[in-house]
Amino acid sequence: RSHRGGACVPPCCWQAAAESKMVEEDEEFPEPLAAYTLTTEAGEKKSSKGFTGKGTAAYTNGDVYEGLFQNGVRQGAGNYKYRRGDVFEGSFENNFKAGLGRVTFKKGGFYHGYFKDGKREGEGTFQYANGDIYSGFWQGGKRHGKGTHVFNKTKYVYAGDWKDGQIQQGTWQLTDGTKFVGNFQSQKPLGDGIWQTAKGTIVEGSYLQQVLPIDKAPLAKPGDTPATTTKTYWSTTTMVVVEE
């Protein structure tokens, strides 16, 4: 159904918005367990054990750390270049990324924000390789807390409360000003919510979700979970139309 003027309301708004798929966070490689050589101003060492000062550790897996050490561990300002080309610039605490830092990804995009125990923690901005941008809070390396995700392709915006990398409650705004306010699951609306157009028409209702197998997907290997897709279905309860 549409109000006068042609602006769409569910389900057509959702069908258009569904074309935007949210990407998952890129994870940096874990700290290497490979052997390494340490080069300092005093020369080359086979181990950083007990070393304090500035040095360069070249790991046999291709990673390279250049920065400060304290009693043999990475501590303080430093740069870490991963074997696949990603680069971290910031500070370390007890061998792990900590405090304010920046990761620049070889395939495109970056993260600029805070770390704790080697993972994104606190406030930070992540620009993904596809151009999407999330700005907000993180916990344990995942989007968690208040945050906003802008889709590069469609310019649609998710803004609200996040948990374990997924939006739980908030607003989904489209480029024409139409927005959905309600709850989410698996990055899609679920349960009671409200659609509101830029001109003020309000549609109240609810979304149901149905998880279905993907017909054309390859058969899952024994023990693996079959490929599925989540379909959403909108049911309107009330509609308040704003006349032009």
Side-chain angles (χ1 to χ4, degrees):
R1 298 173 61 188
S2 301
H3 75 69
R4 187 178 301 171
C8 71
V9 293
C12 61
C13 284
W14 163 246
Q15 290 170 344
E19 295 176 1
S20 286
K21 295 182 179 180
M22 183 171 294
V23 296
E24 298 300 323
E25 301 92 66
D26 287 337
E27 292 292 344
E28 302 88 56
F29 278 114
E31 305 302 326
L33 300 177
Y36 63 93
T37 57
L38 177 65
T39 302
T40 71
E41 293 179 354
E44 189 173 294
K45 298 178 179 292
K46 292 183 178 180
S47 170
S48 65
K49 185 176 181 180
F51 172 71
T52 295
K54 186 175 182 179
T56 299
Y59 297 86
T60 56
N61 68 352
D63 289 4
V64 177
Y65 168 76
E66 182 178 0
L68 298 178
F69 290 83
Q70 183 174 322
N71 294 325
V73 300
R74 296 187 293 273
Q75 184 81 18
N79 296 339
Y80 197 105
K81 298 180 181 179
Y82 292 87
R83 56 195 177 276
R84 67 180 180 183
D86 300 342
V87 178
F88 169 77
E89 302 171 88
S91 60
F92 290 79
E93 184 174 335
N94 196 28
N95 270 343
F96 293 103
K97 297 185 290 289
L100 183 63
R102 178 187 177 96
V103 176
T104 303
F105 297 98
K106 182 180 179 180
K107 67 179 182 180
F110 66 86
Y111 170 78
H112 180 79
Y114 289 88
F115 293 83
K116 182 180 179 181
D117 296 329
K119 295 183 179 293
R120 293 180 289 274
E121 183 96 12
E123 192 169 4
T125 297
F126 199 128
Q127 179 174 307
Y128 299 85
N130 70 353
D132 286 7
I133 296 177
Y134 171 83
S135 184
F137 288 87
W138 302 77
Q139 182 175 299
K142 295 184 178 295
R143 293 164 290 200
H144 194 100
K146 295 289 184 182
T148 300
H149 187 111
V150 180
F151 295 87
N152 178 49
K153 183 178 179 179
T154 61
K155 307 306 179 187
Y156 297 159
V157 178
Y158 273 172
D161 297 314
W162 300 70
K163 182 179 180 181
D164 295 329
Q166 297 196 1
I167 189 168
Q168 303 292 305
Q169 185 179 41
T171 301
W172 187 354
Q173 184 159 326
L174 311 185
T175 51
D176 66 355
T178 300
K179 63 182 179 180
F180 170 81
V181 181
N183 298 315
F184 297 79
Q185 180 176 293
S186 301
Q187 314 294 23
K188 295 182 179 181
L190 177 66
D192 294 340
I194 297 173
W195 279 98
Q196 182 174 346
T197 69
K199 295 182 178 180
T201 290
I202 296 176
V203 184
E204 296 183 3
S206 62
Y207 274 104
L208 294 177
Q209 290 189 3
Q210 184 177 13
V211 179
L212 301 171
I214 299 177
D215 294 334
K216 297 182 180 180
L219 292 176
K221 297 179 180 179
D224 290 349
T225 302
T228 61
T229 183
T230 301
K231 299 290 186 181
T232 60
Y233 302 91
W234 170 263
S235 176
T236 297
T237 54
T238 62
M239 182 174 182
V240 179
V241 179
V242 174
E243 298 290 342
E244 292 184 357

